[in-house]
Amino acid sequence: MEQSFINELKAIVGEQYTLTDRESLAVYGYDSTPEIESRPGAVLLPASTGEVVRIMRLCHGAGVSVTPRGSGTNLSGGSLSVNAGVVVQTSRMNRIIEIDEENLTATVEPGVVTSALHREVESRGLFYPPDPGSMNISTMGGNVAENSGGLRGLKYGVTADYVMGLETVLADGDILKSGGKAVKDVAGYAINPLLVSSEGTLGLFTGITVKLIPGPQVKVTMLAHFPALQDAALAVSAIIAARVIPATLEILDRVTIKCVEEYAHVGLPLDVDAVLLIEVDGHPAVTAEEAAAVAEICTRHRCSFFQTAQNADEALKLTAARRTALSALARLKPTTILEDATVPRSCIAPMLQVIQDSARKYNVTIGTFGHAGDGNLHPTCLTDERDKDEIARAHAAFSEIFDAAIGMGGTITGEHGVGLAKKKYLPRLVGESGIRVMRGIKIAFDPKGILNPCKMF
């Protein structure tokens, strides 16, 4: 990258917030995706929409690529610059601009950490449900770009269900404002849903308005032990079929349970094939009925032990077991490949069987956990990228897993995005016509192709 161009970037954000030294670029050459390294030419930390506009106008004129980045928790290589372009890191744009209690909305900058928004709205008796596993690190801009889910997705939905308005800086530096605080808006094309999940390929978010809801009155947290994984999977389907929609319905298999218990010491059983973490919430009377129904269904499906948290501390301890799953698994081997094959909820049992069969067939270790209630499973391969044969076997296993998910009417990713890591699988899912339509949208927003290039396609 030419020094004269870097000097122009420094004039926008300041020398202190223009990173070009070797060490910084090495750090930003990675996100949370294994096996992928790609160093940018420069990293910028703007503090305002105006600075982002100026960055985009300069880069657009020079034909330099721009990749937005939050905390770098991306799991598909989506926050990496692939051609030594500019990374726009949003950590300085971290203001909660407004909590509007009349309209039940919050407006934030993209660098706001998700859990910080949770704490602020909950202090006012309100609720922002999306809770990705990385919520203590991940930022709202990244959540919107990837349409992040979370443990509460079954009942409350994902990020897209709460985005009401966006301020987006386009490739040429123009500002696009879409949506707002109005509950109903059918004027023209629905731009917000298009921008959500766009993985930084259509614009850079500088303002986000999300819907808030009243918090639940009570919550009951439960843990069910199952000697057989398939029984746990069938119990999930039975709970949904019984018209009980828990706030959380998570599964951990034997490999994951062992790793979590060794890591976090939360009292998980080591002699079972699976546990289900279940939370129901809402009105006290309804919640009590749903908790009883869940207990009965689990018992009917050969649950060996059923535990109900007696207080908030116990509940937090149980949910911590699920939230530490990835960290616990990652301790076992140097490389952790975390995927998120997603299937219709009725296909959880056969999908788990496919994962187990693929792991045995290719002789790799796969621990599975995830959002069983909405069909979003996280088969996680524990491997070592220095062992080329084992890595090849791991990818062969995942190829079969993704093909099986597609065959069941599912998808290759439920919340992690396509990015660099999964773009070879996307044509299998959407076909030639789907790719053609997506490319057309990309060209309409970004004819020069400078926004997060080489992602998805």
Side-chain angles (χ1 to χ4, degrees):
M1 191 171 288
E2 296 289 337
Q3 186 61 47
S4 59
F5 183 76
I6 291 174
N7 289 340
E8 290 185 80
L9 295 174
K10 289 179 179 178
I12 296 172
V13 300
E15 185 167 356
Q16 180 182 358
Y17 301 111
T18 305
L19 309 179
T20 57
D21 61 284
R22 185 182 180 87
E23 291 78 10
S24 295
L25 298 185
V27 169
Y28 285 93
Y30 297 88
D31 59 10
S32 294
T33 315
E35 300 182 85
I36 301 175
E37 176 192 0
S38 187
R39 298 187 185 190
V43 178
L44 306 179
L45 288 77
S48 67
T49 299
E51 290 184 358
V52 175
V53 167
R54 291 173 63 194
I55 292 167
M56 288 311 309
R57 286 178 178 165
L58 178 62
C59 291
H60 186 263
V64 173
S65 69
V66 177
T67 297
R69 181 180 174 111
S71 295
T73 58
N74 186 265
L75 288 158
S76 60
S79 59
L80 298 178
S81 174
V82 297
N83 54 7
V86 169
V87 165
V88 174
Q89 210 272 352
T90 60
S91 61
R92 294 179 66 213
M93 299 179 67
N94 59 4
R95 293 183 304 141
I96 297 176
I97 297 169
E98 178 189 48
I99 306 294
D100 185 341
E101 297 187 42
E102 268 193 294
N103 288 302
L104 292 181
T105 65
T107 300
V108 302
E109 292 183 321
V112 169
V113 173
T114 314
S115 60
L117 177 62
H118 287 167
R119 290 191 295 271
E120 182 62 30
V121 301
E122 287 168 16
S123 71
R124 304 174 186 226
L126 297 172
F127 192 35
Y128 176 67
D131 61 335
S134 58
M135 67 179 186
N136 289 321
I137 310 169
S138 65
T139 59
M140 290 295 293
N143 291 176
V144 175
E146 300 292 336
N147 194 12
S148 298
L151 275 64
R152 297 191 286 242
L154 170 59
K155 180 174 182 178
Y156 291 104
V158 295
T159 300
D161 298 307
Y162 294 86
V163 174
M164 297 181 69
L166 292 171
E167 179 183 81
T168 307
V169 178
L170 302 177
D172 60 2
D174 281 354
I175 297 175
L176 172 65
K177 294 191 176 182
S178 52
K181 294 182 181 181
V183 175
K184 292 183 176 181
D185 181 2
V186 295
Y189 293 126
I191 301 297
N192 282 345
L194 180 61
L195 293 172
V196 177
S197 302
S198 62
E199 303 188 28
T201 63
L202 303 182
L204 278 68
F205 306 126
T206 53
I208 302 164
T209 297
V210 294
K211 174 176 63 176
L212 307 177
I213 61 176
Q217 292 177 279
V218 297
K219 176 173 68 177
V220 177
T221 303
M222 300 160 279
L223 191 73
H225 304 180
F226 290 87
L229 181 61
Q230 289 298 307
D231 286 336
L234 292 171
V236 171
S237 297
I239 290 169
I240 302 301
R243 309 297 191 269
V244 177
I245 307 297
T248 297
L249 181 47
E250 301 284 307
I251 193 167
L252 286 75
D253 73 353
R254 181 184 286 271
V255 173
T256 310
I257 292 167
K258 183 175 184 295
C259 290
V260 168
E261 185 56 28
E262 289 176 353
Y263 173 63
H265 307 292
V266 292
L268 293 181
L270 298 177
D271 59 345
V272 299
D273 258 7
V275 296
L276 293 181
L277 170 69
I278 310 155
E279 289 188 327
V280 293
D281 65 7
H283 186 278
V286 174
T287 299
E289 290 179 5
E290 291 184 338
V294 165
E296 188 276 326
I297 291 168
C298 288
T299 300
R300 185 161 24 101
H301 284 81
R302 292 182 282 278
C303 162
S304 59
F305 182 75
F306 192 87
Q307 175 184 356
T308 301
Q310 298 303 304
N311 52 53
D313 287 342
E314 279 190 28
L316 189 62
K317 189 175 180 180
L318 294 180
T319 55
R322 166 59 182 87
R323 292 196 183 277
T324 59
L326 176 57
S327 300
L329 286 165
R331 297 168 65 247
L332 209 61
K333 278 202 169 185
T335 305
T336 305
I337 305 176
L338 171 64
E339 292 295 358
D340 67 327
T342 304
V343 295
R345 291 179 289 213
S346 59
C347 297
I348 286 290
M351 190 69 234
L352 285 168
Q353 189 64 55
V354 166
I355 294 169
Q356 287 186 319
D357 292 346
S358 296
R360 281 193 292 267
K361 177 179 177 180
Y362 292 99
N363 190 28
V364 290
T365 300
I366 296 180
T368 301
F369 61 96
H371 318 302
D374 54 22
N376 185 196
L377 295 174
H378 295 313
T380 304
C381 187
L382 309 177
T383 181
D384 186 341
E385 63 183 282
R386 296 167 296 186
D387 185 337
K388 301 305 180 185
D389 177 68
E390 187 177 61
I391 281 289
R393 286 185 277 114
H395 286 301
F398 279 124
S399 184
E400 285 195 4
I401 289 168
F402 290 139
D403 281 342
I406 293 169
M408 294 177 191
T411 182
I412 61 173
T413 175
E415 57 189 7
H416 295 169
V418 176
L420 292 170
K422 291 186 182 177
K423 63 181 181 179
K424 66 181 179 182
Y425 300 115
L426 188 60
R428 302 186 197 180
L429 179 69
V430 303
E432 290 183 10
S433 59
I435 295 294
R436 185 175 66 251
V437 169
M438 291 183 189
R439 285 189 186 279
I441 293 169
K442 169 67 171 172
I443 291 169
F445 273 80
D446 180 20
K448 285 191 175 183
I450 67 168
L451 279 170
N452 213 9
C454 302
K455 310 299 164 51
M456 288 205 263
F457 310 118

